[in-house]
Amino acid sequence: MTLQELRSQVEACTACDLCRTRTNTVFGTGNEHADIMFVGEAPGRNEDETGLPFVGAAGHLLDDYLTAVGLSRGEVFIGNIIKCRPPNNRDPKPEEEDCCIHFLHSQIELIDPKLIVCLGRIAAKRLIDPNFQVTKQHGELFRYHGRLIMATFHPAALLRNPGNKAPTFSDFEKIYEIAKVKNFNL
Ligand code: SF4
């Protein structure tokens, strides 16, 4: 299967109730062979309207962090655990995550990143550890099926709590250092 075929499957998916309220599915965007893949939780209002991940204020903040360490959206891949917007931006339900997570697993297989960066607690709990605590464990490196994985704060959470912007910047510096040491293709 190609990434485009997977995208078509997502666009046609009606496996959970979120298909009823979505405007667009949000598959993810970026380099289809990226060595670094960012994974958030689910689309919000702007993402649902545009079909693109991390647009609006939180997306601009993510772009700022990427730019600050010399990265761009074109070099990485950005997606979410859930491909359709939960109404009123509520947290995804566990059963919705269960329904949708196989799409992310397929994306990871097809893109084959060397480092996965979870943006926020929901992605970190799903991909790293159900008891993951972002405030205590952000920036730590773990293993995910032979790949490196870490988590940092979700940009939307940083808009609500700017006090975590400095540690987030340190996490992005670490991402850049890993990319340099491991000779990532950027
Ligand atoms: Fe399908 Fe995922 Fe959308 Fe649910 S959230 S309808 S599983 S694509």
PDB file of all heavy atoms in Angstrom, residues 31-36 71-72 74-77 112-115 178-186:
ATOM      1  N   ASN A  31       6.944  15.428   4.664  1.00  0.00           N
ATOM      2  CA  ASN A  31       7.824  14.565   3.890  1.00  0.00           C
ATOM      3  C   ASN A  31       7.398  13.106   4.058  1.00  0.00           C
ATOM      4  O   ASN A  31       7.379  12.599   5.183  1.00  0.00           O
ATOM      5  CB  ASN A  31       9.261  14.770   4.384  1.00  0.00           C
ATOM      6  CG  ASN A  31      10.270  13.961   3.593  1.00  0.00           C
ATOM      7  OD1 ASN A  31       9.915  13.034   2.869  1.00  0.00           O
ATOM      8  ND2 ASN A  31      11.527  14.313   3.738  1.00  0.00           N
ATOM      9  N   GLU A  32       7.062  12.452   2.971  1.00  0.00           N
ATOM     10  CA  GLU A  32       6.576  11.067   3.058  1.00  0.00           C
ATOM     11  C   GLU A  32       7.671  10.077   3.410  1.00  0.00           C
ATOM     12  O   GLU A  32       7.393   8.889   3.623  1.00  0.00           O
ATOM     13  CB  GLU A  32       5.897  10.677   1.728  1.00  0.00           C
ATOM     14  CG  GLU A  32       4.684  11.539   1.449  1.00  0.00           C
ATOM     15  CD  GLU A  32       3.872  11.051   0.266  1.00  0.00           C
ATOM     16  OE1 GLU A  32       4.303  10.101  -0.407  1.00  0.00           O
ATOM     17  OE2 GLU A  32       2.793  11.634   0.026  1.00  0.00           O
ATOM     18  N   HIS A  33       8.923  10.537   3.450  1.00  0.00           N
ATOM     19  CA  HIS A  33      10.045   9.685   3.871  1.00  0.00           C
ATOM     20  C   HIS A  33      10.778  10.345   5.044  1.00  0.00           C
ATOM     21  O   HIS A  33      11.995  10.187   5.185  1.00  0.00           O
ATOM     22  CB  HIS A  33      11.009   9.460   2.707  1.00  0.00           C
ATOM     23  CG  HIS A  33      10.323   8.924   1.478  1.00  0.00           C
ATOM     24  ND1 HIS A  33       9.851   7.637   1.398  1.00  0.00           N
ATOM     25  CD2 HIS A  33       9.990   9.526   0.308  1.00  0.00           C
ATOM     26  CE1 HIS A  33       9.276   7.444   0.223  1.00  0.00           C
ATOM     27  NE2 HIS A  33       9.327   8.578  -0.451  1.00  0.00           N
ATOM     28  N   ALA A  34      10.042  11.069   5.865  1.00  0.00           N
ATOM     29  CA  ALA A  34      10.664  11.848   6.935  1.00  0.00           C
ATOM     30  C   ALA A  34      11.350  10.949   7.971  1.00  0.00           C
ATOM     31  O   ALA A  34      10.831   9.887   8.313  1.00  0.00           O
ATOM     32  CB  ALA A  34       9.603  12.705   7.622  1.00  0.00           C
ATOM     33  N   ASP A  35      12.472  11.405   8.473  1.00  0.00           N
ATOM     34  CA  ASP A  35      13.126  10.707   9.578  1.00  0.00           C
ATOM     35  C   ASP A  35      12.534  11.125  10.923  1.00  0.00           C
ATOM     36  O   ASP A  35      12.748  10.453  11.929  1.00  0.00           O
ATOM     37  CB  ASP A  35      14.637  10.990   9.565  1.00  0.00           C
ATOM     38  CG  ASP A  35      15.361  10.130   8.541  1.00  0.00           C
ATOM     39  OD1 ASP A  35      14.755   9.141   8.062  1.00  0.00           O
ATOM     40  OD2 ASP A  35      16.519  10.439   8.212  1.00  0.00           O
ATOM     41  N   ILE A  36      11.838  12.253  10.948  1.00  0.00           N
ATOM     42  CA  ILE A  36      11.188  12.715  12.184  1.00  0.00           C
ATOM     43  C   ILE A  36       9.686  12.855  11.920  1.00  0.00           C
ATOM     44  O   ILE A  36       9.273  13.526  10.972  1.00  0.00           O
ATOM     45  CB  ILE A  36      11.736  14.082  12.656  1.00  0.00           C
ATOM     46  CG1 ILE A  36      13.261  14.039  12.783  1.00  0.00           C
ATOM     47  CG2 ILE A  36      11.106  14.467  13.996  1.00  0.00           C
ATOM     48  CD1 ILE A  36      13.881  15.397  13.110  1.00  0.00           C
ATOM     49  N   LEU A  71      14.493  23.454  11.394  1.00  0.00           N
ATOM     50  CA  LEU A  71      13.680  22.460  10.694  1.00  0.00           C
ATOM     51  C   LEU A  71      12.497  23.154  10.028  1.00  0.00           C
ATOM     52  O   LEU A  71      12.158  24.288  10.363  1.00  0.00           O
ATOM     53  CB  LEU A  71      13.160  21.400  11.680  1.00  0.00           C
ATOM     54  CG  LEU A  71      14.213  20.510  12.347  1.00  0.00           C
ATOM     55  CD1 LEU A  71      13.564  19.662  13.435  1.00  0.00           C
ATOM     56  CD2 LEU A  71      14.891  19.618  11.317  1.00  0.00           C
ATOM     57  N   SER A  72      11.863  22.442   9.099  1.00  0.00           N
ATOM     58  CA  SER A  72      10.659  22.979   8.457  1.00  0.00           C
ATOM     59  C   SER A  72       9.647  21.861   8.288  1.00  0.00           C
ATOM     60  O   SER A  72       9.991  20.677   8.362  1.00  0.00           O
ATOM     61  CB  SER A  72      11.000  23.569   7.087  1.00  0.00           C
ATOM     62  OG  SER A  72      11.312  22.518   6.187  1.00  0.00           O
ATOM     63  N   GLY A  74       8.374  20.809   5.668  1.00  0.00           N
ATOM     64  CA  GLY A  74       8.690  19.995   4.502  1.00  0.00           C
ATOM     65  C   GLY A  74       9.679  18.881   4.783  1.00  0.00           C
ATOM     66  O   GLY A  74       9.815  17.951   3.992  1.00  0.00           O
ATOM     67  N   GLU A  75      10.401  18.987   5.905  1.00  0.00           N
ATOM     68  CA  GLU A  75      11.414  17.975   6.232  1.00  0.00           C
ATOM     69  C   GLU A  75      10.879  16.901   7.164  1.00  0.00           C
ATOM     70  O   GLU A  75      11.490  15.853   7.310  1.00  0.00           O
ATOM     71  CB  GLU A  75      12.613  18.653   6.896  1.00  0.00           C
ATOM     72  CG  GLU A  75      13.372  19.574   5.967  1.00  0.00           C
ATOM     73  CD  GLU A  75      14.360  20.417   6.733  1.00  0.00           C
ATOM     74  OE1 GLU A  75      13.961  21.040   7.740  1.00  0.00           O
ATOM     75  OE2 GLU A  75      15.529  20.459   6.331  1.00  0.00           O
ATOM     76  N   VAL A  76       9.790  17.181   7.838  1.00  0.00           N
ATOM     77  CA  VAL A  76       9.243  16.239   8.826  1.00  0.00           C
ATOM     78  C   VAL A  76       7.837  15.840   8.380  1.00  0.00           C
ATOM     79  O   VAL A  76       7.314  16.372   7.401  1.00  0.00           O
ATOM     80  CB  VAL A  76       9.197  16.891  10.240  1.00  0.00           C
ATOM     81  CG1 VAL A  76      10.588  17.351  10.651  1.00  0.00           C
ATOM     82  CG2 VAL A  76       8.208  18.050  10.283  1.00  0.00           C
ATOM     83  N   PHE A  77       7.250  14.883   9.088  1.00  0.00           N
ATOM     84  CA  PHE A  77       5.844  14.566   8.831  1.00  0.00           C
ATOM     85  C   PHE A  77       5.068  14.882  10.101  1.00  0.00           C
ATOM     86  O   PHE A  77       5.534  14.595  11.216  1.00  0.00           O
ATOM     87  CB  PHE A  77       5.665  13.095   8.443  1.00  0.00           C
ATOM     88  CG  PHE A  77       4.290  12.798   7.889  1.00  0.00           C
ATOM     89  CD1 PHE A  77       4.042  12.877   6.526  1.00  0.00           C
ATOM     90  CD2 PHE A  77       3.232  12.468   8.733  1.00  0.00           C
ATOM     91  CE1 PHE A  77       2.781  12.635   6.008  1.00  0.00           C
ATOM     92  CE2 PHE A  77       1.963  12.217   8.228  1.00  0.00           C
ATOM     93  CZ  PHE A  77       1.736  12.297   6.853  1.00  0.00           C
ATOM     94  N   ASP A 112       8.269   5.339   7.834  1.00  0.00           N
ATOM     95  CA  ASP A 112       9.472   4.743   8.415  1.00  0.00           C
ATOM     96  C   ASP A 112      10.385   5.778   9.087  1.00  0.00           C
ATOM     97  O   ASP A 112      11.588   5.867   8.783  1.00  0.00           O
ATOM     98  CB  ASP A 112      10.246   3.974   7.320  1.00  0.00           C
ATOM     99  CG  ASP A 112      11.264   3.019   7.916  1.00  0.00           C
ATOM    100  OD1 ASP A 112      11.115   2.640   9.091  1.00  0.00           O
ATOM    101  OD2 ASP A 112      12.227   2.664   7.209  1.00  0.00           O
ATOM    102  N   PRO A 113       9.835   6.582  10.013  1.00  0.00           N
ATOM    103  CA  PRO A 113      10.670   7.586  10.679  1.00  0.00           C
ATOM    104  C   PRO A 113      11.648   6.934  11.651  1.00  0.00           C
ATOM    105  O   PRO A 113      11.379   5.858  12.187  1.00  0.00           O
ATOM    106  CB  PRO A 113       9.638   8.433  11.442  1.00  0.00           C
ATOM    107  CG  PRO A 113       8.540   7.462  11.750  1.00  0.00           C
ATOM    108  CD  PRO A 113       8.468   6.548  10.553  1.00  0.00           C
ATOM    109  N   LYS A 114      12.759   7.626  11.905  1.00  0.00           N
ATOM    110  CA  LYS A 114      13.722   7.133  12.903  1.00  0.00           C
ATOM    111  C   LYS A 114      13.369   7.651  14.303  1.00  0.00           C
ATOM    112  O   LYS A 114      13.726   7.038  15.297  1.00  0.00           O
ATOM    113  CB  LYS A 114      15.132   7.572  12.521  1.00  0.00           C
ATOM    114  CG  LYS A 114      15.636   6.967  11.218  1.00  0.00           C
ATOM    115  CD  LYS A 114      17.096   7.331  10.999  1.00  0.00           C
ATOM    116  CE  LYS A 114      17.683   6.604   9.797  1.00  0.00           C
ATOM    117  NZ  LYS A 114      17.342   7.253   8.532  1.00  0.00           N
ATOM    118  N   LEU A 115      12.709   8.803  14.343  1.00  0.00           N
ATOM    119  CA  LEU A 115      12.315   9.413  15.629  1.00  0.00           C
ATOM    120  C   LEU A 115      10.849   9.857  15.545  1.00  0.00           C
ATOM    121  O   LEU A 115      10.467  10.559  14.593  1.00  0.00           O
ATOM    122  CB  LEU A 115      13.196  10.629  15.936  1.00  0.00           C
ATOM    123  CG  LEU A 115      12.780  11.495  17.130  1.00  0.00           C
ATOM    124  CD1 LEU A 115      12.932  10.723  18.450  1.00  0.00           C
ATOM    125  CD2 LEU A 115      13.594  12.791  17.182  1.00  0.00           C
ATOM    126  N   ILE A 178      19.712  15.031  18.170  1.00  0.00           N
ATOM    127  CA  ILE A 178      19.555  13.617  17.784  1.00  0.00           C
ATOM    128  C   ILE A 178      19.664  13.494  16.263  1.00  0.00           C
ATOM    129  O   ILE A 178      20.352  12.612  15.736  1.00  0.00           O
ATOM    130  CB  ILE A 178      18.195  13.063  18.278  1.00  0.00           C
ATOM    131  CG1 ILE A 178      18.163  13.007  19.802  1.00  0.00           C
ATOM    132  CG2 ILE A 178      17.927  11.672  17.698  1.00  0.00           C
ATOM    133  CD1 ILE A 178      16.776  12.782  20.373  1.00  0.00           C
ATOM    134  N   ALA A 179      18.995  14.398  15.569  1.00  0.00           N
ATOM    135  CA  ALA A 179      19.018  14.359  14.093  1.00  0.00           C
ATOM    136  C   ALA A 179      20.441  14.520  13.572  1.00  0.00           C
ATOM    137  O   ALA A 179      20.843  13.861  12.608  1.00  0.00           O
ATOM    138  CB  ALA A 179      18.106  15.452  13.541  1.00  0.00           C
ATOM    139  N   LYS A 180      21.207  15.378  14.240  1.00  0.00           N
ATOM    140  CA  LYS A 180      22.587  15.626  13.793  1.00  0.00           C
ATOM    141  C   LYS A 180      23.475  14.416  14.083  1.00  0.00           C
ATOM    142  O   LYS A 180      24.180  13.919  13.201  1.00  0.00           O
ATOM    143  CB  LYS A 180      23.123  16.873  14.516  1.00  0.00           C
ATOM    144  CG  LYS A 180      24.208  17.584  13.750  1.00  0.00           C
ATOM    145  CD  LYS A 180      24.487  18.963  14.306  1.00  0.00           C
ATOM    146  CE  LYS A 180      25.007  18.896  15.726  1.00  0.00           C
ATOM    147  NZ  LYS A 180      25.403  20.183  16.285  1.00  0.00           N
ATOM    148  N   VAL A 181      23.391  13.923  15.328  1.00  0.00           N
ATOM    149  CA  VAL A 181      24.247  12.803  15.743  1.00  0.00           C
ATOM    150  C   VAL A 181      23.928  11.552  14.946  1.00  0.00           C
ATOM    151  O   VAL A 181      24.816  10.797  14.548  1.00  0.00           O
ATOM    152  CB  VAL A 181      24.079  12.552  17.267  1.00  0.00           C
ATOM    153  CG1 VAL A 181      24.732  11.240  17.680  1.00  0.00           C
ATOM    154  CG2 VAL A 181      24.658  13.714  18.061  1.00  0.00           C
ATOM    155  N   LYS A 182      22.640  11.306  14.717  1.00  0.00           N
ATOM    156  CA  LYS A 182      22.211  10.089  14.001  1.00  0.00           C
ATOM    157  C   LYS A 182      22.210  10.276  12.479  1.00  0.00           C
ATOM    158  O   LYS A 182      21.777   9.401  11.743  1.00  0.00           O
ATOM    159  CB  LYS A 182      20.802   9.672  14.455  1.00  0.00           C
ATOM    160  CG  LYS A 182      20.660   9.453  15.955  1.00  0.00           C
ATOM    161  CD  LYS A 182      20.961   8.029  16.300  1.00  0.00           C
ATOM    162  CE  LYS A 182      20.753   7.789  17.789  1.00  0.00           C
ATOM    163  NZ  LYS A 182      21.284   6.476  18.206  1.00  0.00           N
ATOM    164  N   ASN A 183      22.639  11.462  12.054  1.00  0.00           N
ATOM    165  CA  ASN A 183      22.753  11.718  10.614  1.00  0.00           C
ATOM    166  C   ASN A 183      21.417  11.542   9.883  1.00  0.00           C
ATOM    167  O   ASN A 183      21.354  10.895   8.827  1.00  0.00           O
ATOM    168  CB  ASN A 183      23.805  10.762  10.018  1.00  0.00           C
ATOM    169  CG  ASN A 183      24.474  11.386   8.833  1.00  0.00           C
ATOM    170  OD1 ASN A 183      24.344  12.590   8.593  1.00  0.00           O
ATOM    171  ND2 ASN A 183      25.171  10.569   8.048  1.00  0.00           N
ATOM    172  N   PHE A 184      20.368  12.134  10.445  1.00  0.00           N
ATOM    173  CA  PHE A 184      19.057  12.073   9.813  1.00  0.00           C
ATOM    174  C   PHE A 184      19.098  12.779   8.474  1.00  0.00           C
ATOM    175  O   PHE A 184      19.828  13.764   8.278  1.00  0.00           O
ATOM    176  CB  PHE A 184      17.988  12.746  10.682  1.00  0.00           C
ATOM    177  CG  PHE A 184      17.548  11.931  11.865  1.00  0.00           C
ATOM    178  CD1 PHE A 184      18.152  10.721  12.185  1.00  0.00           C
ATOM    179  CD2 PHE A 184      16.508  12.375  12.669  1.00  0.00           C
ATOM    180  CE1 PHE A 184      17.741   9.971  13.280  1.00  0.00           C
ATOM    181  CE2 PHE A 184      16.077  11.638  13.768  1.00  0.00           C
ATOM    182  CZ  PHE A 184      16.703  10.439  14.076  1.00  0.00           C
ATOM    183  N   ASN A 185      18.270  12.304   7.574  1.00  0.00           N
ATOM    184  CA  ASN A 185      18.158  12.898   6.259  1.00  0.00           C
ATOM    185  C   ASN A 185      17.194  14.085   6.331  1.00  0.00           C
ATOM    186  O   ASN A 185      15.983  13.908   6.288  1.00  0.00           O
ATOM    187  CB  ASN A 185      17.651  11.823   5.286  1.00  0.00           C
ATOM    188  CG  ASN A 185      17.770  12.267   3.857  1.00  0.00           C
ATOM    189  OD1 ASN A 185      18.475  13.237   3.562  1.00  0.00           O
ATOM    190  ND2 ASN A 185      17.075  11.584   2.978  1.00  0.00           N
ATOM    191  N   LEU A 186      17.731  15.306   6.459  1.00  0.00           N
ATOM    192  CA  LEU A 186      16.874  16.497   6.607  1.00  0.00           C
ATOM    193  C   LEU A 186      17.131  17.473   5.475  1.00  0.00           C
ATOM    194  O   LEU A 186      18.185  17.471   4.891  1.00  0.00           O
ATOM    195  CB  LEU A 186      17.126  17.178   7.945  1.00  0.00           C
ATOM    196  CG  LEU A 186      16.778  16.359   9.184  1.00  0.00           C
ATOM    197  CD1 LEU A 186      17.284  17.062  10.432  1.00  0.00           C
ATOM    198  CD2 LEU A 186      15.283  16.133   9.303  1.00  0.00           C
TER     199      LEU A 186
END
